Amino acid sequence: MFNKKKKEEEPIIENNQAEQEVETAQGEATNDTENATAEPVVELSVEEKLQQENAALNDKYLRLFAEFDNYKRRTQKERVELLQTAGKDVVVSMLPVLDDFERALKATENATEVSAIREGVMLVQTKLKSILSQKGLKEMESINTVFDTDIHEAITKIPAPSDDLKGKVVDELEKGYTLNDKVIRFAKVVVGA
């Protein structure tokens, strides 16, 4: 009994070895057919490889340059459009003031009282100032302040009426303005010496 088991086990081992040999032979056969049907590998010289890389890099460079050029044109066009319409909201908000001035001019044709005209002009001025202050415009207060070259432009110097006015603004010929805390017009002033 013992011998029968050995004999039965041996053919199993032989069958496993036979299967491995068949698989190896099939693998070699497929490798041979793959090599026969595959295109021959062409070795490129170093110079040809460098030329191909150079052509690829040139193409990439030209595409990038064209893309950047388009970007510059687009941003320049956007900037021009922005500058053309930048003051649109200010102008639109000023139109009612312009209408008020036209009405005031019509009223002066038949008016006999100066005080009524003066009152109408003061109302238009107040309206104009409130619109501009909403847009960030502020008047500078200069009279009796220390002369500051960052916000003042000295037109002339005069002898100070008192000692405490020396180096200070005595008179203001033209108001100065700031827009969002940036000076847009310097105040033209007379300084006490």
Side-chain angles (χ1 to χ4, degrees):
M1 268 176 94
F2 191 75
N3 289 339
K4 282 185 181 178
K5 286 185 182 178
K6 266 190 176 178
K7 285 183 183 178
E8 290 175 4
E9 289 178 25
E10 286 177 18
I12 294 174
I13 294 173
E14 288 175 11
N15 285 340
N16 286 341
Q17 288 175 350
E19 286 175 6
Q20 289 176 354
E21 288 175 26
V22 170
E23 287 175 3
T24 307
Q26 285 176 348
E28 291 173 357
T30 54
N31 286 340
D32 290 342
T33 56
E34 286 176 4
N35 289 340
T37 58
E39 294 180 23
V41 178
V42 178
E43 291 286 327
L44 295 176
S45 68
V46 174
E47 185 176 321
E48 289 172 336
K49 286 182 183 178
L50 289 175
Q51 286 176 350
Q52 287 178 350
E53 285 181 31
N54 189 18
L57 289 174
N58 271 342
D59 183 52
K60 187 177 179 182
Y61 166 74
L62 289 175
R63 289 177 190 276
L64 186 63
F65 184 77
E67 187 177 320
F68 181 69
D69 196 38
N70 290 339
Y71 167 76
K72 283 193 332 187
R73 276 195 223 118
R74 186 174 59 249
T75 55
Q76 186 175 10
K77 182 181 174 186
E78 289 172 357
R79 192 177 308 129
V80 167
E81 288 174 0
L82 180 67
L83 288 175
Q84 288 175 346
T85 60
K88 180 182 175 184
D89 62 329
V90 174
V91 171
V92 168
S93 63
M94 299 280 281
L95 291 177
V97 176
L98 185 62
D99 295 338
D100 288 347
F101 273 120
E102 288 176 3
R103 284 192 284 274
L105 284 173
K106 283 183 183 177
T108 57
E109 293 173 359
N110 300 327
T112 55
E113 285 188 44
V114 176
S115 62
I117 295 174
R118 178 176 166 78
E119 187 178 322
V121 171
M122 287 177 59
L123 288 173
V124 173
Q125 181 190 24
T126 306
K127 188 175 191 178
L128 177 64
K129 282 185 176 183
S130 70
I131 290 171
L132 292 175
S133 66
Q134 289 172 1
K135 301 297 178 186
L137 186 75
K138 292 181 185 174
E139 288 183 4
M140 290 184 213
E141 293 297 326
S142 299
I143 295 178
N144 293 331
T145 61
V146 177
F147 177 72
D148 183 3
T149 56
D150 291 335
I151 58 172
H152 298 126
E153 181 181 336
I155 300 299
T156 187
K157 287 185 177 183
I158 61 167
S162 63
D163 287 339
D164 50 320
L165 289 177
K166 286 185 180 179
K168 291 187 176 181
V169 176
V170 177
D171 191 17
E172 184 177 55
L173 302 175
E174 193 173 84
K175 280 195 173 288
Y177 291 94
T178 61
L179 181 63
N180 298 324
D181 298 326
K182 183 178 180 184
V183 176
I184 59 169
R185 186 170 88 176
F186 294 97
K188 293 182 180 174
V189 296
V190 176
V191 182

